Amino acid sequence: ILNVEQSPQSLHVQEGDSTNFTCSFPSSNFYALHWYRWETAKSPEALFVMTLNGDEKKKGRISATLNTKEGYSYLYIKGSQPEDSATYLCALSTGTASKLTFGTGTRLQVTL
Amino acid sequence: DVKVTQSSRYLVKRTGEKVFLECVQDMDHENMFWYRQDPGLGLRLIYFSYDVKMKEKGDIPEGYSVSREKKERFSLILESASTNQTSMYLCASSSPGQGNGYTFGSGTRLTVV
């Protein structure tokens, strides 16, 4: 079983704060790294798919970076808003199958 | 709007009951997956299927089985529900090819009493 780790497990920030969290994964057999946002009572929603070392992706105030050599990805949220409150999941694809291995998630709570 | 639909949002069953969790997708995806999500453990893969009538065990298949008689439908079966199967169950689908992301259902929260 692959070990995909996310830290911190939970995070509580004030509106307007910028924040970031980490996804660590084994760098061998890497194929792609996915980020999802999962809001309460909704389906997990895809944010980014990254495949190349050094990749950077951006969607509004959210961005992500990827380092496949050392096996980590960062997700950044600039100027957090209450609607950013969700669990953020990263998932690893190794390329040997279509299945994804998920991390434990980072639960973000943004308060006014 | 493409979607993955899980038949129940909340379900309460008794220990020993046979439980069916249904998942239907309308995207003509070949791949379908069942995960469970528990606090501190993340999403863990139970079973997946790459095609009709095909199934493969995931990381935690014990106590579960699956059925895929039609491409759009993937059922998770708890043969004899136990309290340690109380969890949030998520179904997902994807198109073939490594690296393709999932489209998820909204989950079924199952409580076994």
PDB file of all heavy atoms in Angstrom, chain A residues 14-46:
ATOM      1  N   GLN A  14      -8.043  32.724   9.940  1.00  0.00           N
ATOM      2  CA  GLN A  14      -8.978  33.847   9.863  1.00  0.00           C
ATOM      3  C   GLN A  14      -9.151  34.269   8.410  1.00  0.00           C
ATOM      4  O   GLN A  14      -8.242  34.084   7.576  1.00  0.00           O
ATOM      5  CB  GLN A  14      -8.421  35.039  10.658  1.00  0.00           C
ATOM      6  CG  GLN A  14      -8.211  34.763  12.142  1.00  0.00           C
ATOM      7  CD  GLN A  14      -9.514  34.663  12.891  1.00  0.00           C
ATOM      8  OE1 GLN A  14     -10.452  35.431  12.634  1.00  0.00           O
ATOM      9  NE2 GLN A  14      -9.605  33.729  13.810  1.00  0.00           N
ATOM     10  N   GLU A  15     -10.303  34.823   8.128  1.00  0.00           N
ATOM     11  CA  GLU A  15     -10.547  35.358   6.783  1.00  0.00           C
ATOM     12  C   GLU A  15      -9.431  36.323   6.403  1.00  0.00           C
ATOM     13  O   GLU A  15      -9.045  37.182   7.204  1.00  0.00           O
ATOM     14  CB  GLU A  15     -11.888  36.082   6.758  1.00  0.00           C
ATOM     15  CG  GLU A  15     -12.260  36.620   5.384  1.00  0.00           C
ATOM     16  CD  GLU A  15     -13.587  37.370   5.413  1.00  0.00           C
ATOM     17  OE1 GLU A  15     -14.049  37.710   6.509  1.00  0.00           O
ATOM     18  OE2 GLU A  15     -14.136  37.605   4.325  1.00  0.00           O
ATOM     19  N   GLY A  16      -8.931  36.185   5.181  1.00  0.00           N
ATOM     20  CA  GLY A  16      -7.862  37.052   4.709  1.00  0.00           C
ATOM     21  C   GLY A  16      -6.466  36.482   4.873  1.00  0.00           C
ATOM     22  O   GLY A  16      -5.530  36.919   4.192  1.00  0.00           O
ATOM     23  N   ASP A  17      -6.333  35.472   5.758  1.00  0.00           N
ATOM     24  CA  ASP A  17      -5.022  34.830   5.923  1.00  0.00           C
ATOM     25  C   ASP A  17      -4.698  34.012   4.681  1.00  0.00           C
ATOM     26  O   ASP A  17      -5.579  33.459   4.027  1.00  0.00           O
ATOM     27  CB  ASP A  17      -5.024  33.886   7.133  1.00  0.00           C
ATOM     28  CG  ASP A  17      -5.042  34.619   8.446  1.00  0.00           C
ATOM     29  OD1 ASP A  17      -4.845  35.870   8.443  1.00  0.00           O
ATOM     30  OD2 ASP A  17      -5.244  33.958   9.481  1.00  0.00           O
ATOM     31  N   SER A  18      -3.419  33.922   4.397  1.00  0.00           N
ATOM     32  CA  SER A  18      -2.964  32.975   3.378  1.00  0.00           C
ATOM     33  C   SER A  18      -2.451  31.726   4.093  1.00  0.00           C
ATOM     34  O   SER A  18      -1.930  31.804   5.203  1.00  0.00           O
ATOM     35  CB  SER A  18      -1.868  33.597   2.521  1.00  0.00           C
ATOM     36  OG  SER A  18      -2.415  34.660   1.759  1.00  0.00           O
ATOM     37  N   THR A  19      -2.622  30.605   3.438  1.00  0.00           N
ATOM     38  CA  THR A  19      -2.257  29.350   4.084  1.00  0.00           C
ATOM     39  C   THR A  19      -1.713  28.366   3.065  1.00  0.00           C
ATOM     40  O   THR A  19      -1.885  28.545   1.858  1.00  0.00           O
ATOM     41  CB  THR A  19      -3.474  28.746   4.807  1.00  0.00           C
ATOM     42  OG1 THR A  19      -3.060  27.615   5.554  1.00  0.00           O
ATOM     43  CG2 THR A  19      -4.568  28.337   3.839  1.00  0.00           C
ATOM     44  N   ASN A  20      -1.043  27.345   3.561  1.00  0.00           N
ATOM     45  CA  ASN A  20      -0.577  26.300   2.659  1.00  0.00           C
ATOM     46  C   ASN A  20      -0.517  24.987   3.404  1.00  0.00           C
ATOM     47  O   ASN A  20      -0.392  24.946   4.618  1.00  0.00           O
ATOM     48  CB  ASN A  20       0.774  26.653   2.046  1.00  0.00           C
ATOM     49  CG  ASN A  20       1.881  26.713   3.082  1.00  0.00           C
ATOM     50  OD1 ASN A  20       2.476  25.692   3.417  1.00  0.00           O
ATOM     51  ND2 ASN A  20       2.159  27.892   3.602  1.00  0.00           N
ATOM     52  N   PHE A  21      -0.635  23.903   2.648  1.00  0.00           N
ATOM     53  CA  PHE A  21      -0.479  22.585   3.235  1.00  0.00           C
ATOM     54  C   PHE A  21       0.247  21.671   2.268  1.00  0.00           C
ATOM     55  O   PHE A  21       0.447  21.999   1.107  1.00  0.00           O
ATOM     56  CB  PHE A  21      -1.812  21.968   3.683  1.00  0.00           C
ATOM     57  CG  PHE A  21      -3.058  22.605   3.176  1.00  0.00           C
ATOM     58  CD1 PHE A  21      -3.705  22.093   2.081  1.00  0.00           C
ATOM     59  CD2 PHE A  21      -3.602  23.697   3.825  1.00  0.00           C
ATOM     60  CE1 PHE A  21      -4.878  22.656   1.625  1.00  0.00           C
ATOM     61  CE2 PHE A  21      -4.775  24.272   3.369  1.00  0.00           C
ATOM     62  CZ  PHE A  21      -5.416  23.752   2.269  1.00  0.00           C
ATOM     63  N   THR A  22       0.664  20.538   2.818  1.00  0.00           N
ATOM     64  CA  THR A  22       1.624  19.672   2.138  1.00  0.00           C
ATOM     65  C   THR A  22       1.057  18.296   1.865  1.00  0.00           C
ATOM     66  O   THR A  22       0.296  17.754   2.669  1.00  0.00           O
ATOM     67  CB  THR A  22       2.885  19.506   3.009  1.00  0.00           C
ATOM     68  OG1 THR A  22       3.390  20.788   3.360  1.00  0.00           O
ATOM     69  CG2 THR A  22       3.961  18.718   2.265  1.00  0.00           C
ATOM     70  N   CYS A  23       1.444  17.750   0.730  1.00  0.00           N
ATOM     71  CA  CYS A  23       1.175  16.356   0.395  1.00  0.00           C
ATOM     72  C   CYS A  23       2.512  15.699   0.096  1.00  0.00           C
ATOM     73  O   CYS A  23       3.256  16.179  -0.772  1.00  0.00           O
ATOM     74  CB  CYS A  23       0.247  16.291  -0.819  1.00  0.00           C
ATOM     75  SG  CYS A  23      -0.032  14.632  -1.466  1.00  0.00           S
ATOM     76  N   SER A  24       2.813  14.611   0.796  1.00  0.00           N
ATOM     77  CA  SER A  24       4.070  13.879   0.582  1.00  0.00           C
ATOM     78  C   SER A  24       3.757  12.503   0.031  1.00  0.00           C
ATOM     79  O   SER A  24       2.792  11.856   0.460  1.00  0.00           O
ATOM     80  CB  SER A  24       4.842  13.716   1.889  1.00  0.00           C
ATOM     81  OG  SER A  24       5.109  14.969   2.461  1.00  0.00           O
ATOM     82  N   PHE A  25       4.591  12.045  -0.893  1.00  0.00           N
ATOM     83  CA  PHE A  25       4.312  10.768  -1.546  1.00  0.00           C
ATOM     84  C   PHE A  25       5.636  10.118  -1.948  1.00  0.00           C
ATOM     85  O   PHE A  25       6.657  10.798  -2.084  1.00  0.00           O
ATOM     86  CB  PHE A  25       3.419  10.977  -2.770  1.00  0.00           C
ATOM     87  CG  PHE A  25       3.932  12.011  -3.730  1.00  0.00           C
ATOM     88  CD1 PHE A  25       4.847  11.696  -4.725  1.00  0.00           C
ATOM     89  CD2 PHE A  25       3.517  13.346  -3.624  1.00  0.00           C
ATOM     90  CE1 PHE A  25       5.328  12.661  -5.587  1.00  0.00           C
ATOM     91  CE2 PHE A  25       3.986  14.319  -4.489  1.00  0.00           C
ATOM     92  CZ  PHE A  25       4.901  13.971  -5.467  1.00  0.00           C
ATOM     93  N   PRO A  26       5.629   8.797  -2.151  1.00  0.00           N
ATOM     94  CA  PRO A  26       6.854   8.135  -2.620  1.00  0.00           C
ATOM     95  C   PRO A  26       7.150   8.577  -4.048  1.00  0.00           C
ATOM     96  O   PRO A  26       6.267   8.551  -4.913  1.00  0.00           O
ATOM     97  CB  PRO A  26       6.522   6.646  -2.536  1.00  0.00           C
ATOM     98  CG  PRO A  26       5.039   6.577  -2.445  1.00  0.00           C
ATOM     99  CD  PRO A  26       4.539   7.851  -1.896  1.00  0.00           C
ATOM    100  N   SER A  27       8.381   8.986  -4.288  1.00  0.00           N
ATOM    101  CA  SER A  27       8.718   9.552  -5.598  1.00  0.00           C
ATOM    102  C   SER A  27       8.941   8.485  -6.676  1.00  0.00           C
ATOM    103  O   SER A  27       8.929   8.796  -7.868  1.00  0.00           O
ATOM    104  CB  SER A  27       9.955  10.445  -5.494  1.00  0.00           C
ATOM    105  OG  SER A  27      11.017   9.737  -4.898  1.00  0.00           O
ATOM    106  N   SER A  28       9.114   7.239  -6.256  1.00  0.00           N
ATOM    107  CA  SER A  28       9.261   6.185  -7.250  1.00  0.00           C
ATOM    108  C   SER A  28       7.904   5.886  -7.885  1.00  0.00           C
ATOM    109  O   SER A  28       6.860   5.999  -7.244  1.00  0.00           O
ATOM    110  CB  SER A  28       9.818   4.921  -6.586  1.00  0.00           C
ATOM    111  OG  SER A  28       8.965   4.506  -5.547  1.00  0.00           O
ATOM    112  N   ASN A  29       7.881   5.537  -9.149  1.00  0.00           N
ATOM    113  CA  ASN A  29       6.653   5.182  -9.877  1.00  0.00           C
ATOM    114  C   ASN A  29       5.631   6.309  -9.931  1.00  0.00           C
ATOM    115  O   ASN A  29       4.450   6.072 -10.103  1.00  0.00           O
ATOM    116  CB  ASN A  29       5.969   3.946  -9.273  1.00  0.00           C
ATOM    117  CG  ASN A  29       6.858   2.729  -9.343  1.00  0.00           C
ATOM    118  OD1 ASN A  29       7.519   2.508 -10.355  1.00  0.00           O
ATOM    119  ND2 ASN A  29       6.909   1.972  -8.275  1.00  0.00           N
ATOM    120  N   PHE A  30       6.067   7.540  -9.810  1.00  0.00           N
ATOM    121  CA  PHE A  30       5.135   8.663  -9.889  1.00  0.00           C
ATOM    122  C   PHE A  30       4.606   8.801 -11.308  1.00  0.00           C
ATOM    123  O   PHE A  30       5.356   8.712 -12.281  1.00  0.00           O
ATOM    124  CB  PHE A  30       5.840   9.962  -9.467  1.00  0.00           C
ATOM    125  CG  PHE A  30       4.978  11.175  -9.677  1.00  0.00           C
ATOM    126  CD1 PHE A  30       4.091  11.584  -8.698  1.00  0.00           C
ATOM    127  CD2 PHE A  30       5.020  11.886 -10.877  1.00  0.00           C
ATOM    128  CE1 PHE A  30       3.287  12.688  -8.892  1.00  0.00           C
ATOM    129  CE2 PHE A  30       4.217  12.988 -11.077  1.00  0.00           C
ATOM    130  CZ  PHE A  30       3.344  13.396 -10.084  1.00  0.00           C
ATOM    131  N   TYR A  31       3.291   9.067 -11.400  1.00  0.00           N
ATOM    132  CA  TYR A  31       2.714   9.393 -12.707  1.00  0.00           C
ATOM    133  C   TYR A  31       1.967  10.723 -12.676  1.00  0.00           C
ATOM    134  O   TYR A  31       2.139  11.560 -13.540  1.00  0.00           O
ATOM    135  CB  TYR A  31       1.773   8.280 -13.185  1.00  0.00           C
ATOM    136  CG  TYR A  31       1.350   8.465 -14.612  1.00  0.00           C
ATOM    137  CD1 TYR A  31       2.130   7.975 -15.664  1.00  0.00           C
ATOM    138  CD2 TYR A  31       0.186   9.167 -14.924  1.00  0.00           C
ATOM    139  CE1 TYR A  31       1.764   8.182 -16.975  1.00  0.00           C
ATOM    140  CE2 TYR A  31      -0.193   9.374 -16.242  1.00  0.00           C
ATOM    141  CZ  TYR A  31       0.599   8.883 -17.255  1.00  0.00           C
ATOM    142  OH  TYR A  31       0.238   9.097 -18.561  1.00  0.00           O
ATOM    143  N   ALA A  32       1.122  10.917 -11.674  1.00  0.00           N
ATOM    144  CA  ALA A  32       0.367  12.171 -11.578  1.00  0.00           C
ATOM    145  C   ALA A  32      -0.052  12.409 -10.130  1.00  0.00           C
ATOM    146  O   ALA A  32      -0.197  11.470  -9.348  1.00  0.00           O
ATOM    147  CB  ALA A  32      -0.873  12.140 -12.473  1.00  0.00           C
ATOM    148  N   LEU A  33      -0.237  13.673  -9.804  1.00  0.00           N
ATOM    149  CA  LEU A  33      -0.694  14.056  -8.471  1.00  0.00           C
ATOM    150  C   LEU A  33      -1.948  14.906  -8.640  1.00  0.00           C
ATOM    151  O   LEU A  33      -1.967  15.866  -9.416  1.00  0.00           O
ATOM    152  CB  LEU A  33       0.411  14.851  -7.761  1.00  0.00           C
ATOM    153  CG  LEU A  33       0.349  15.112  -6.241  1.00  0.00           C
ATOM    154  CD1 LEU A  33      -0.633  16.188  -5.875  1.00  0.00           C
ATOM    155  CD2 LEU A  33       0.085  13.832  -5.470  1.00  0.00           C
ATOM    156  N   HIS A  34      -3.003  14.519  -7.916  1.00  0.00           N
ATOM    157  CA  HIS A  34      -4.292  15.210  -8.013  1.00  0.00           C
ATOM    158  C   HIS A  34      -4.592  15.926  -6.709  1.00  0.00           C
ATOM    159  O   HIS A  34      -4.276  15.409  -5.629  1.00  0.00           O
ATOM    160  CB  HIS A  34      -5.422  14.201  -8.250  1.00  0.00           C
ATOM    161  CG  HIS A  34      -5.259  13.368  -9.482  1.00  0.00           C
ATOM    162  ND1 HIS A  34      -6.059  13.525 -10.601  1.00  0.00           N
ATOM    163  CD2 HIS A  34      -4.401  12.364  -9.779  1.00  0.00           C
ATOM    164  CE1 HIS A  34      -5.701  12.647 -11.523  1.00  0.00           C
ATOM    165  NE2 HIS A  34      -4.700  11.940 -11.062  1.00  0.00           N
ATOM    166  N   TRP A  35      -5.233  17.063  -6.805  1.00  0.00           N
ATOM    167  CA  TRP A  35      -5.792  17.751  -5.641  1.00  0.00           C
ATOM    168  C   TRP A  35      -7.302  17.867  -5.816  1.00  0.00           C
ATOM    169  O   TRP A  35      -7.785  18.216  -6.895  1.00  0.00           O
ATOM    170  CB  TRP A  35      -5.209  19.155  -5.480  1.00  0.00           C
ATOM    171  CG  TRP A  35      -3.836  19.199  -4.887  1.00  0.00           C
ATOM    172  CD1 TRP A  35      -2.651  19.343  -5.542  1.00  0.00           C
ATOM    173  CD2 TRP A  35      -3.510  19.134  -3.485  1.00  0.00           C
ATOM    174  NE1 TRP A  35      -1.605  19.358  -4.644  1.00  0.00           N
ATOM    175  CE2 TRP A  35      -2.103  19.242  -3.380  1.00  0.00           C
ATOM    176  CE3 TRP A  35      -4.262  19.001  -2.315  1.00  0.00           C
ATOM    177  CZ2 TRP A  35      -1.445  19.214  -2.154  1.00  0.00           C
ATOM    178  CZ3 TRP A  35      -3.604  18.972  -1.103  1.00  0.00           C
ATOM    179  CH2 TRP A  35      -2.202  19.076  -1.028  1.00  0.00           C
ATOM    180  N   TYR A  36      -8.010  17.584  -4.704  1.00  0.00           N
ATOM    181  CA  TYR A  36      -9.466  17.705  -4.684  1.00  0.00           C
ATOM    182  C   TYR A  36      -9.874  18.569  -3.495  1.00  0.00           C
ATOM    183  O   TYR A  36      -9.214  18.574  -2.458  1.00  0.00           O
ATOM    184  CB  TYR A  36     -10.138  16.330  -4.516  1.00  0.00           C
ATOM    185  CG  TYR A  36     -10.023  15.418  -5.714  1.00  0.00           C
ATOM    186  CD1 TYR A  36      -8.902  14.618  -5.900  1.00  0.00           C
ATOM    187  CD2 TYR A  36     -11.040  15.352  -6.664  1.00  0.00           C
ATOM    188  CE1 TYR A  36      -8.796  13.783  -6.992  1.00  0.00           C
ATOM    189  CE2 TYR A  36     -10.939  14.514  -7.762  1.00  0.00           C
ATOM    190  CZ  TYR A  36      -9.814  13.735  -7.910  1.00  0.00           C
ATOM    191  OH  TYR A  36      -9.708  12.906  -8.996  1.00  0.00           O
ATOM    192  N   ARG A  37     -11.017  19.237  -3.657  1.00  0.00           N
ATOM    193  CA  ARG A  37     -11.627  19.952  -2.547  1.00  0.00           C
ATOM    194  C   ARG A  37     -12.943  19.262  -2.232  1.00  0.00           C
ATOM    195  O   ARG A  37     -13.752  19.020  -3.134  1.00  0.00           O
ATOM    196  CB  ARG A  37     -11.892  21.415  -2.908  1.00  0.00           C
ATOM    197  CG  ARG A  37     -12.664  22.177  -1.825  1.00  0.00           C
ATOM    198  CD  ARG A  37     -12.684  23.650  -2.091  1.00  0.00           C
ATOM    199  NE  ARG A  37     -13.274  23.945  -3.381  1.00  0.00           N
ATOM    200  CZ  ARG A  37     -13.079  25.083  -4.021  1.00  0.00           C
ATOM    201  NH1 ARG A  37     -12.294  26.001  -3.510  1.00  0.00           N
ATOM    202  NH2 ARG A  37     -13.659  25.291  -5.177  1.00  0.00           N
ATOM    203  N   TRP A  38     -13.164  18.978  -0.934  1.00  0.00           N
ATOM    204  CA  TRP A  38     -14.368  18.261  -0.534  1.00  0.00           C
ATOM    205  C   TRP A  38     -15.086  19.081   0.521  1.00  0.00           C
ATOM    206  O   TRP A  38     -14.684  19.124   1.689  1.00  0.00           O
ATOM    207  CB  TRP A  38     -13.999  16.884   0.014  1.00  0.00           C
ATOM    208  CG  TRP A  38     -15.158  15.968   0.222  1.00  0.00           C
ATOM    209  CD1 TRP A  38     -16.474  16.183  -0.117  1.00  0.00           C
ATOM    210  CD2 TRP A  38     -15.111  14.684   0.826  1.00  0.00           C
ATOM    211  NE1 TRP A  38     -17.224  15.097   0.227  1.00  0.00           N
ATOM    212  CE2 TRP A  38     -16.414  14.167   0.803  1.00  0.00           C
ATOM    213  CE3 TRP A  38     -14.076  13.918   1.387  1.00  0.00           C
ATOM    214  CZ2 TRP A  38     -16.718  12.916   1.318  1.00  0.00           C
ATOM    215  CZ3 TRP A  38     -14.387  12.671   1.886  1.00  0.00           C
ATOM    216  CH2 TRP A  38     -15.690  12.185   1.858  1.00  0.00           C
ATOM    217  N   GLU A  39     -16.165  19.713   0.084  1.00  0.00           N
ATOM    218  CA  GLU A  39     -16.988  20.491   1.012  1.00  0.00           C
ATOM    219  C   GLU A  39     -18.027  19.573   1.639  1.00  0.00           C
ATOM    220  O   GLU A  39     -18.494  18.615   1.005  1.00  0.00           O
ATOM    221  CB  GLU A  39     -17.698  21.625   0.274  1.00  0.00           C
ATOM    222  CG  GLU A  39     -16.744  22.673  -0.278  1.00  0.00           C
ATOM    223  CD  GLU A  39     -17.493  23.757  -1.048  1.00  0.00           C
ATOM    224  OE1 GLU A  39     -18.250  24.522  -0.421  1.00  0.00           O
ATOM    225  OE2 GLU A  39     -17.327  23.818  -2.274  1.00  0.00           O
ATOM    226  N   THR A  40     -18.408  19.899   2.852  1.00  0.00           N
ATOM    227  CA  THR A  40     -19.375  19.095   3.590  1.00  0.00           C
ATOM    228  C   THR A  40     -20.657  18.933   2.782  1.00  0.00           C
ATOM    229  O   THR A  40     -21.156  19.898   2.195  1.00  0.00           O
ATOM    230  CB  THR A  40     -19.681  19.766   4.939  1.00  0.00           C
ATOM    231  OG1 THR A  40     -18.449  19.924   5.648  1.00  0.00           O
ATOM    232  CG2 THR A  40     -20.618  18.900   5.768  1.00  0.00           C
ATOM    233  N   ALA A  41     -21.172  17.732   2.743  1.00  0.00           N
ATOM    234  CA  ALA A  41     -22.429  17.387   2.066  1.00  0.00           C
ATOM    235  C   ALA A  41     -22.359  17.508   0.542  1.00  0.00           C
ATOM    236  O   ALA A  41     -23.395  17.479  -0.127  1.00  0.00           O
ATOM    237  CB  ALA A  41     -23.591  18.215   2.590  1.00  0.00           C
ATOM    238  N   LYS A  42     -21.167  17.638   0.005  1.00  0.00           N
ATOM    239  CA  LYS A  42     -21.015  17.695  -1.460  1.00  0.00           C
ATOM    240  C   LYS A  42     -20.047  16.609  -1.926  1.00  0.00           C
ATOM    241  O   LYS A  42     -19.410  15.944  -1.121  1.00  0.00           O
ATOM    242  CB  LYS A  42     -20.498  19.068  -1.878  1.00  0.00           C
ATOM    243  CG  LYS A  42     -21.471  20.194  -1.612  1.00  0.00           C
ATOM    244  CD  LYS A  42     -20.944  21.492  -2.214  1.00  0.00           C
ATOM    245  CE  LYS A  42     -21.934  22.622  -1.988  1.00  0.00           C
ATOM    246  NZ  LYS A  42     -21.420  23.900  -2.553  1.00  0.00           N
ATOM    247  N   SER A  43     -19.920  16.471  -3.249  1.00  0.00           N
ATOM    248  CA  SER A  43     -18.945  15.538  -3.817  1.00  0.00           C
ATOM    249  C   SER A  43     -17.576  16.187  -3.837  1.00  0.00           C
ATOM    250  O   SER A  43     -17.471  17.401  -4.042  1.00  0.00           O
ATOM    251  CB  SER A  43     -19.320  15.196  -5.251  1.00  0.00           C
ATOM    252  OG  SER A  43     -20.652  14.815  -5.365  1.00  0.00           O
ATOM    253  N   PRO A  44     -16.515  15.408  -3.642  1.00  0.00           N
ATOM    254  CA  PRO A  44     -15.173  15.958  -3.876  1.00  0.00           C
ATOM    255  C   PRO A  44     -15.069  16.512  -5.295  1.00  0.00           C
ATOM    256  O   PRO A  44     -15.553  15.903  -6.245  1.00  0.00           O
ATOM    257  CB  PRO A  44     -14.258  14.752  -3.683  1.00  0.00           C
ATOM    258  CG  PRO A  44     -15.024  13.832  -2.788  1.00  0.00           C
ATOM    259  CD  PRO A  44     -16.456  14.011  -3.180  1.00  0.00           C
ATOM    260  N   GLU A  45     -14.431  17.677  -5.393  1.00  0.00           N
ATOM    261  CA  GLU A  45     -14.337  18.379  -6.674  1.00  0.00           C
ATOM    262  C   GLU A  45     -12.864  18.487  -7.071  1.00  0.00           C
ATOM    263  O   GLU A  45     -12.024  18.873  -6.251  1.00  0.00           O
ATOM    264  CB  GLU A  45     -14.937  19.777  -6.497  1.00  0.00           C
ATOM    265  CG  GLU A  45     -14.685  20.758  -7.620  1.00  0.00           C
ATOM    266  CD  GLU A  45     -14.894  22.199  -7.170  1.00  0.00           C
ATOM    267  OE1 GLU A  45     -15.194  22.429  -5.982  1.00  0.00           O
ATOM    268  OE2 GLU A  45     -14.725  23.099  -8.005  1.00  0.00           O
ATOM    269  N   ALA A  46     -12.562  18.153  -8.316  1.00  0.00           N
ATOM    270  CA  ALA A  46     -11.172  18.204  -8.774  1.00  0.00           C
ATOM    271  C   ALA A  46     -10.669  19.647  -8.845  1.00  0.00           C
ATOM    272  O   ALA A  46     -11.360  20.527  -9.348  1.00  0.00           O
ATOM    273  CB  ALA A  46     -11.060  17.549 -10.147  1.00  0.00           C
TER     274      ALA A  46
END
